[in-house]
Amino acid sequence: MALASGPPESRQTEPGVDPLLAAFLETRENLILFLAARVRSMATAEDLVQDLFLKVAALEPQAEVRAPKALLYRMASNLMVDHFRSVQRASRRDGQWRMDTRVTLAGLDVVSEPAADEALVEKQRARLLAEAVTALPPQMGRAFRLHKLEGLSQAEAAEAMGISRKMVEAHIAAAVKHLVQRLRT
Amino acid sequence: MTSPMENLVSRESQALAEAGVWIARLADEGVSGDDGLEFDAWLMAAPQNRAAYSQALVLCHEFDARAEAVLAELAPADPGQTVVPISVVRRRSPVRGWWAGVGGMAIAAGLAVAVLPAYLAGPTIATYATGKGQHQHIALADGSKLDLDAETKAVVSYSRGERRVALSDGQAIFDVTHDAARPFVVEAAGRQVRDLGTQFDVKAKSRELTVTVARGLVEVAGTSGRGVQLAPGQRLSIDKSGVGRLSAVDPAETFSWRLGRLVYRAQPLADVVADLNRQFVQQTEIADPAIAGLPITGVIVLDSPSAVMARLSLMLPIKAVPSDRALVLTRR
């Protein structure tokens, strides 16, 4: 079965180890990469995979898991759904990050603004990124902007643009390729 | 025949194209465990796949982290944004005709406005409007920023001696660059809100006005001219009859709509529905008057009306039924 073919650099696992746990150790990095596209930061993806580890470790050792990898990816996608439901662990789209750095609470100017020279570098980099987005073909740029920058789901972006969701996905895929090629240093 | 070098280049380019497809697919809602298995197989199929995906991921995360800054750079010049200025009207000053022309070009290019002081040109008037479910971030020429909530119209007019924004029904957050020589005035609900270098939120609904201050000092003046000064954390609400009420609030809650969520403290369900109907094209309707007054306390993440109602129905005795024209709420 295809699932049995392990990664080329497969880690040695001791005999007798819970197959699910063994599969987790082999797949851990891939799981992080899997989640990171949606949760928008490596740190959050790593946190979620850590949660997954705790869940796996808490399960009774099951010799009978037929497709451990499939189970792991299913658990990972469920954890991601929970993550987006949970307001406490709000992602950037929910604004926690912006809330922390931008909004001032009562009192004086407590915004953690970067120092002037840092701000300049930040601004230049933001301008460079913006230029790369502007250089994309218009529809592609718009799809990327709505989904990636303004945080709309692909379905919402599709509705805003009057095209299909699949088309939005294709635009974003192409935009990512263009942007990487242009901004690669 | 292709050389090994060309082969390598095309393999990398192929891997990058596929990486883009995976990023796009995995970045959206509804990613399943099966997607994961397929992704895993692709990742393992060739070392350049992993490298290409990692590269694309790093860049996407950078866009995520800098989304706001990138949007600010894009906002003035991008014609493809969700909301476009519906008109830019220029009153030509006969004396400063030459400058006015230059200013007009600068606005058309969307670039030089920061370099060329706007007051050298005659008063510039731009109108911005948002529809249902649309938000708009506007970077003004003097560095001030404006965030428009859904269904809001703002007319921005900058002249030599004054910066003025007329806000029709709707809500906006103002982040104002202080300029003692050119006061920043917001006109809303027949009143004037005058700032002294600050960040504040104005909500105008027919004759009602709510002003919340996050930073700095704001003065709200009525038609009579006597003003009320607001400090950070203070909110002034003026009802239709002109009666004002001052309260202490957490400004972060008022400002949260910009971040795609709304915060409520014991407010009736009817208010939540009214706000949702401004935020989304899909409308929601309360079919049973008995549930309109149910108090809501909490943070509402603005993903979709049906998702919001699905979460609310976990806590409240309500049920959301989709119909042709709206999502209908009834008692459960």
Side-chain angles (χ1 to χ4, degrees):
Chain A
M1 212 179 132
L3 284 179
S5 66
E9 70 277 22
S10 167
R11 290 193 185 95
Q12 280 306 113
T13 47
E14 296 161 37
V17 163
D18 175 15
L20 190 56
L21 206 54
F24 173 83
L25 294 174
E26 274 177 12
T27 322
R28 186 177 172 276
E29 275 171 37
N30 294 0
L31 287 163
I32 293 172
L33 292 176
F34 169 63
L35 297 175
R38 172 118 197 264
V39 300
R40 300 177 168 211
S41 92
M42 290 310 278
T44 313
E46 280 168 18
D47 282 354
L48 285 177
V49 170
Q50 184 60 25
D51 291 353
L52 177 62
F53 171 75
L54 295 176
K55 280 205 149 101
V56 168
L59 290 175
E60 289 291 309
Q62 286 163 298
E64 284 305 299
V65 180
R66 270 170 202 278
K69 235 182 197 181
L71 178 61
L72 288 171
Y73 276 103
R74 206 159 58 236
M75 289 171 79
S77 57
N78 290 341
L79 274 172
M80 186 153 64
V81 170
D82 292 346
H83 165 77
F84 280 102
R85 280 206 188 120
S86 139
V87 176
Q88 279 74 32
R89 304 177 53 196
S91 69
R92 204 217 74 210
R93 197 203 157 172
D94 298 346
Q96 196 61 52
W97 174 82
R98 276 189 276 183
M99 194 79 99
D100 288 343
T101 55
R102 281 188 50 94
V103 177
T104 38
L105 297 177
L108 295 172
D109 195 351
V110 294
V111 189
S112 52
E113 298 275 49
D117 53 342
E118 248 174 77
L120 188 67
V121 171
E122 284 286 310
K123 199 168 170 60
Q124 280 169 347
R125 182 65 187 168
R127 186 164 297 163
L128 201 67
L129 296 177
E131 277 166 10
V133 173
T134 312
L136 294 172
Q139 285 287 87
M140 198 188 283
R142 182 136 190 254
F144 184 83
R145 179 182 169 141
L146 289 174
H147 174 63
K148 271 285 169 207
L149 301 179
E150 297 187 8
L152 266 59
S153 72
Q154 290 177 11
E156 287 163 344
E159 197 182 330
M161 294 177 67
I163 59 177
S164 71
R165 202 199 62 81
K166 271 281 153 207
M167 203 60 220
V168 169
E169 191 180 308
H171 276 318
I172 289 165
V176 169
K177 178 176 190 245
H178 273 80
L179 292 170
V180 171
Q181 279 172 335
R182 184 188 163 109
L183 293 163
R184 188 148 46 186
T185 42
Chain B
M1 273 291 281
T2 51
S3 72
M5 191 59 205
E6 280 170 88
N7 256 329
L8 187 68
V9 169
S10 81
R11 273 218 312 269
E12 284 199 342
S13 154
Q14 175 66 22
L16 188 55
E18 290 172 9
V21 171
W22 276 111
I23 293 265
R25 183 166 156 191
L26 298 181
D28 202 25
E29 294 163 354
V31 174
S32 73
D34 287 346
D35 292 326
L37 270 185
E38 228 181 287
F39 168 71
D40 193 277
W42 172 78
L43 214 50
M44 292 307 197
Q48 65 265 27
N49 289 355
R50 183 182 295 271
Y53 183 82
S54 302
Q55 223 170 14
L57 194 62
V58 166
L59 186 66
C60 284
H61 284 160
E62 188 182 358
F63 269 106
D64 289 329
R66 298 180 196 267
E68 200 154 322
V70 173
L71 276 175
E73 290 291 331
L74 284 174
D78 181 9
Q81 59 203 23
T82 37
V83 188
V84 292
I86 51 183
S87 67
V88 176
V89 186
R90 165 162 300 277
R91 275 188 221 137
R92 259 179 196 283
S93 143
V95 186
R96 300 185 177 271
W98 180 77
W99 276 112
V102 173
M105 270 154 53
I107 282 158
L111 307 163
V113 270
V115 181
L116 182 78
Y119 59 79
L120 288 177
T124 308
I125 301 174
T127 304
Y128 299 89
T130 53
K132 275 189 195 302
Q134 296 183 319
H135 286 177
Q136 164 79 321
H137 178 85
I138 302 159
L140 297 171
D142 64 332
S144 297
K145 282 167 256 161
L146 198 55
D147 278 282
L148 299 187
D149 196 4
E151 295 198 307
T152 299
K153 186 177 158 197
V155 179
V156 178
S157 112
Y158 272 27
S159 65
R160 182 178 193 138
E162 192 179 63
R163 296 168 290 173
R164 184 171 282 269
V165 177
L167 188 72
S168 318
D169 277 14
Q171 186 163 10
I173 293 174
F174 297 86
D175 205 332
V176 175
T177 309
H178 185 52
D179 182 349
R182 276 210 302 168
F184 193 101
V185 179
V186 180
E187 280 178 348
R191 283 162 207 281
Q192 296 199 337
V193 182
R194 190 178 292 268
D195 103 287
L196 307 159
T198 166
Q199 191 186 37
F200 59 102
D201 177 288
V202 176
K203 184 176 187 178
K205 205 157 86 184
S206 51
R207 307 264 314 137
E208 292 168 36
L209 177 70
T210 308
V211 180
T212 311
V213 179
R215 191 175 74 216
L217 202 60
V218 168
E219 188 179 278
V220 182
T223 35
S224 60
R226 200 178 135 265
V228 180
Q229 286 210 336
L230 299 180
Q234 286 192 319
R235 166 183 295 168
L236 179 68
S237 307
I238 302 173
D239 67 14
K240 282 195 185 70
S241 53
V243 177
R245 204 166 62 88
L246 200 61
S247 52
V249 296
D250 179 354
E253 292 183 3
T254 306
F255 287 61
S256 61
W257 61 259
R258 182 170 61 184
L259 312 169
R261 52 184 185 178
L262 297 171
V263 183
Y264 296 92
R265 285 183 189 280
Q267 277 160 274
L269 180 63
D271 282 8
V272 177
V273 168
D275 284 342
L276 286 180
N277 285 343
R278 295 202 305 129
Q279 298 291 344
F280 294 108
V281 177
Q282 192 198 349
Q283 298 291 289
T284 306
E285 226 172 62
I286 300 179
D288 184 349
I291 60 171
L294 287 173
I296 309 285
T297 296
V299 178
I300 291 187
V301 178
L302 294 172
D303 36 13
S304 76
S306 46
V308 170
M309 288 307 155
R311 287 193 296 269
L312 284 180
S313 63
L314 295 175
M315 304 179 291
L316 299 169
I318 61 168
K319 183 169 75 178
V321 185
S323 82
D324 290 348
R325 56 168 208 289
L327 191 64
V328 178
L329 301 183
T330 56
R331 178 178 286 278
R332 188 173 54 201

